[in-house]
Amino acid sequence: MKRQVLLLAMTIVFHAGLFAQTSIIAHRGAWKNTKVPQNSIASLDHAIEEGCWGSEFDVYLTKDDILVVNHDRDFHGLEVEDLTYQELLAKKHDNGESIPTVEEYLKRGLQQKGTKLIFELKTSKLGKERTMKSVEHSLAIVKKLKAESMVEFIAFDWDACLKFRELNKKTKIHYLNGDKSPAEVKAAKLTGVDYHYTIFQKNPNLIKEFKALKLKTNAWTVNKEEDMKFLIDQKIDFITTDEPELLKTILNK
Ligand code: MG
């Protein structure tokens, strides 16, 4: 009986591996075809409605140590890192939303379980110390909201990635900057990489090399059908895109 159960388990694992498909991550939420602002709560809602595997968003720390969601260094002309959260409320997105705090954003995302929350910690313009402080704040808010199983971190700053790992052995952290080898990423005990797609195109063995070390692979920001197909053929784990609807159509063919 035990042997049968074991065989069944092995069969399931084998098939799951065989049919493992590339997963969709909406870049800054699903905003482009839904015509809502990038990194708004509305863009997260659309990514969830569309059934994306994950929804990515960008994070900075304000002058008064509040984590907020925004891509550029400024929010409609207001310098995010130089101002307090209250001061940033002077402007709004076109859809009427204020700049979301990470707390609000995560709380919204935690109302469901289907779409992971891909938390990009931006590198601070104020220097390394501030970036490291942002890492501490990021881990603290995820812990406070008990969001560990729903959040994966990504960052361009290598030292920030190392800090995430140093402070939390289990958190999922992927490196963005494209300049570390599979062996270096493995030695740093990161979860994997999220590299610009041209890096994988220039080195067609790279995805295989990361996979051989059991590291996850993700590519940004892939908006053209031909580039999506190249990466899907390479069996990349995730594709980050402004066109989640197009990628879904391709994957369902
Ligand atoms: Mg980003």
Side-chain angles (χ1 to χ4, degrees):
M1 184 64 191
K2 260 185 190 168
R3 191 183 153 83
Q4 280 168 328
V5 171
L6 187 67
L7 273 171
L8 181 67
M10 280 169 67
T11 310
I12 291 167
V13 169
F14 175 74
H15 283 286
L18 199 64
F19 295 112
Q21 205 189 20
T22 300
S23 299
I24 304 171
I25 299 176
H27 181 238
R28 308 179 195 170
W31 56 273
K32 193 170 177 183
N33 300 306
T34 59
K35 301 192 168 38
V36 297
Q38 303 175 1
N39 278 318
S40 61
I41 299 266
S43 71
L44 171 63
D45 287 344
H46 282 298
I48 292 167
E49 278 161 28
E50 292 182 14
C52 294
W53 180 89
S55 187
E56 187 259 5
F57 55 101
D58 303 291
V59 174
Y60 287 102
L61 194 60
T62 63
K63 188 182 173 186
D64 57 338
D65 292 346
I66 306 290
L67 291 166
V68 291
V69 179
N70 198 56
H71 177 267
D72 294 341
R73 295 205 176 277
D74 72 287
F75 179 73
H76 301 285
L78 303 174
E79 280 292 308
V80 174
E81 291 189 90
D82 297 342
L83 298 170
T84 64
Y85 172 66
Q86 278 303 317
E87 287 168 329
L88 292 169
L89 296 179
K91 294 279 172 100
K92 283 187 190 293
H93 274 309
D94 293 345
N95 69 345
E97 282 183 40
S98 298
I99 189 168
T101 63
V102 165
E103 179 153 359
E104 282 176 81
Y105 212 86
L106 292 180
K107 279 182 175 166
R108 183 61 149 249
L110 291 171
Q111 290 172 10
Q112 51 86 53
K113 287 202 159 42
T115 300
K116 299 269 187 201
L117 307 165
I118 312 301
F119 185 129
E120 180 180 349
L121 182 68
K122 303 304 275 188
T123 305
S124 174
K125 67 171 186 179
L126 301 172
K128 191 68 89 178
E129 208 176 306
R130 194 69 184 156
T131 302
M132 293 304 157
K133 191 162 188 192
S134 308
V135 172
E136 290 170 17
H137 279 274
S138 299
L139 282 169
I141 190 116
V142 167
K143 188 175 179 193
K144 176 183 149 187
L145 298 177
K146 298 187 171 59
E148 290 93 341
S149 64
M150 287 297 290
V151 171
E152 302 205 5
F153 292 102
I154 56 177
F156 277 96
D157 189 297
W158 179 249
D159 295 329
C161 291
L162 299 182
K163 185 89 178 167
F164 272 113
R165 178 54 72 238
E166 179 198 323
L167 295 178
N168 190 318
K169 299 281 172 272
K170 284 191 190 153
T171 196
K172 291 192 172 160
I173 170 73
H174 311 253
Y175 178 58
L176 285 163
N177 205 39
D179 56 355
K180 297 289 181 191
S181 68
E184 286 171 301
V185 175
K186 186 73 183 177
K189 298 189 169 70
L190 304 190
T191 311
V193 293
D194 180 3
Y195 282 176
H196 193 261
Y197 67 94
T198 54
I199 290 173
F200 296 123
Q201 288 177 338
K202 279 180 207 148
N203 183 350
N205 287 323
L206 195 55
I207 291 173
K208 240 178 267 163
E209 289 169 19
F210 276 111
K211 280 176 168 287
L213 295 180
K214 296 196 163 46
L215 295 165
K216 294 288 180 189
T217 50
N218 182 1
W220 57 274
T221 303
V222 190
N223 294 334
K224 284 199 201 128
E225 185 162 349
E226 67 208 77
D227 297 325
M228 290 172 177
K229 283 182 172 163
F230 170 84
L231 294 162
I232 293 165
D233 287 346
Q234 295 260 317
K235 298 192 165 46
I236 196 163
D237 295 305
F238 312 99
I239 289 177
T240 301
T241 177
D242 294 325
E243 304 279 357
E245 302 84 359
L246 171 65
L247 181 52
K248 196 196 265 185
T249 309
I250 294 170
L251 287 167
N252 286 340
K253 263 181 198 164

